[in-house]
Amino acid sequence: MPQPAYLTGDKAGIQEFLDKFDVFLFDCDGVLWSGDHLFPKVAETIEMLRSKGKRLVFVTNNSTKSRADYKKKFDKMGIPCEVDEVFCSSYSAAVYIARILKLPGPKNKVYVLGETGIEQELESEGVSYVGGTDPAFRRDMEPEDFTKIADGSALDPDVGIVLSGLDFHVNYLKLATGYAYLQRGAKFLATNTDSSLPTAHALFPGAGSVGAGLVKAIGHEALALGKPSQAMMDAIEGKFHFDRSRTCMVGDRLNTDIQFGIEGKLGGTLAVLTGVNKHEDFLGEGKKVVPMAYIDALGDLLG
Ligand code: PLP
Ligand code: CA
């Protein structure tokens, strides 16, 4: 297998690499910033790419935020960005439900395991939902809940979809309710299935680990709508109409970002070493997910 090109410090190599692409799909956390810490020269790099006429789309698996939340974060970080350039997994799931699934009423309501990012994006697509941040679900399971869930009186008859994302208040009541809908035939979707959530301190359980209780209970995986799912790639392509051969995915995580670009048959993938994976994860023989090129930090693209 050809080994990836190392671009840090290679001015001619960077130029040649950038010239291959018109569109860059950017992962956010681990590439632009880590939590609230902006990496050096990121804003300048984004500006340099824009000045070369490159089209940028910011593709993140974070479902706890909406596109509007991300716009605020970009503003705070001093990176120019339009709401329409953000494609987060909460939005990806909402678009899939509203425009692709198009479940005929009355089974078009969504039961949400997740935070406000999902709720806002479902609202923006005109999809109704229950669960989510509703305080009625943020409590211990009481004995009568067992009967009410079992006989269906605690369930909304219009729910036809269970959407699982990162929920910081996951509890037994939420899992039991989601499982009940799934047993009644609801479609099982996930915003993303990241096993872990990188933070400035350590790795924490990610959306995939929160949804794993439902996966185990019902016995099959959810259809994931975040990276590396190609349902997300198709949705991005549907919105931005890009030429895949002239598009590059930039990311820090091999099993989400780089896999996403490779499976999507994009023209290139660029791994950035400021996040989850390190060069020993893809260099050498027998590695499964190998980027086309890699760089120590995004700011190194300035040359
Ligand atoms: N999910 C959550 C809840 C997050 O907070 C993050 C990163 O902040 C991610 C997923 C991963 O995001 P990205 O795809 O931008 O690396
Ligand atoms: Ca990332």
Side-chain angles (χ1 to χ4, degrees):
M1 178 165 299
Q3 293 295 297
Y6 178 49
L7 297 182
T8 292
D10 178 3
K11 219 168 175 177
I14 290 170
Q15 193 56 50
E16 196 188 321
F17 188 81
L18 296 183
D19 286 347
K20 287 190 174 108
F21 308 109
D22 305 318
V23 180
F24 287 85
L25 306 184
F26 269 94
D27 169 57
C28 297
D29 196 80
V31 168
L32 307 176
W33 55 65
S34 170
D36 285 330
H37 166 69
L38 180 67
F39 294 131
K41 300 206 175 118
V42 164
E44 294 91 325
T45 307
I46 297 295
E47 255 162 47
M48 176 274 286
L49 292 170
R50 288 193 196 283
S51 73
K52 287 181 183 290
K54 310 292 184 189
R55 179 128 198 224
L56 310 182
V57 184
F58 299 98
V59 184
T60 171
N61 269 2
N62 186 352
S63 70
T64 65
K65 287 183 165 38
S66 63
R67 288 166 301 157
D69 292 330
Y70 259 95
K71 162 75 178 141
K72 281 187 207 141
K73 176 150 188 172
F74 274 84
D75 287 350
K76 202 175 104 189
M77 293 291 194
I79 307 173
C81 165
E82 299 299 324
V83 170
D84 263 351
E85 291 175 315
V86 178
F87 214 99
C88 40
S89 64
S90 48
Y91 178 60
S92 180
V95 166
Y96 182 82
I97 290 166
R99 305 187 199 179
I100 296 172
L101 265 189
K102 287 193 216 148
L103 280 193
K107 279 284 176 197
N108 55 6
K109 215 181 230 183
V110 180
Y111 172 74
V112 175
L113 190 65
E115 299 290 335
T116 53
I118 297 178
E119 295 177 331
Q120 286 169 21
E121 293 300 356
L122 288 175
E123 279 162 27
S124 78
E125 288 294 314
V127 177
S128 46
Y129 60 87
V130 291
T133 62
D134 183 347
F137 290 88
R138 290 184 171 179
R139 60 176 177 83
D140 288 344
M141 181 114 162
E142 302 292 345
E144 62 267 28
D145 291 316
F146 284 93
T147 8
K148 287 185 176 169
I149 291 172
D151 69 16
S153 59
L155 304 178
D156 186 323
D158 293 345
V159 167
I161 298 165
V162 170
L163 174 59
S164 162
L166 184 54
D167 188 322
F168 293 115
H169 302 81
V170 65
N171 60 32
Y172 195 77
L173 175 64
K174 287 186 173 195
L175 289 177
T177 307
Y179 183 36
Y181 284 125
L182 291 174
Q183 288 178 88
R184 282 165 170 73
K187 289 191 186 304
F188 189 15
L189 308 179
T191 54
N192 62 307
T193 53
D194 297 30
S195 54
S196 58
L197 167 68
T199 75
H201 314 283
L203 291 177
F204 282 80
S209 300
V210 166
L214 289 178
V215 172
K216 182 82 176 172
I218 199 66
H220 65 86
E221 297 288 330
L223 170 66
L225 296 152
K227 300 169 289 186
S229 165
Q230 292 305 305
M232 187 187 219
M233 185 69 86
D234 294 343
I236 299 172
E237 189 183 37
K239 180 164 175 172
F240 297 98
H241 307 289
F242 52 79
D243 173 354
R244 291 193 188 212
S245 70
R246 298 277 307 163
T247 300
C248 176
M249 177 71 208
V250 184
D252 68 302
R253 198 160 179 149
L254 296 176
N255 68 358
T256 55
D257 308 316
I258 304 303
Q259 179 81 19
F260 182 61
I262 292 171
E263 271 182 36
K265 301 196 165 36
L266 298 187
T269 52
L270 175 65
V272 185
L273 301 183
T274 41
V276 172
N277 286 115
K278 301 297 165 209
H279 58 79
E280 57 268 27
D281 299 328
F282 54 77
L283 291 183
E285 288 310 308
K287 297 292 196 271
K288 289 205 173 71
V289 184
V290 181
M292 176 187 264
Y294 69 108
I295 198 156
D296 289 341
L298 189 68
D300 294 349
L301 283 181
L302 286 175

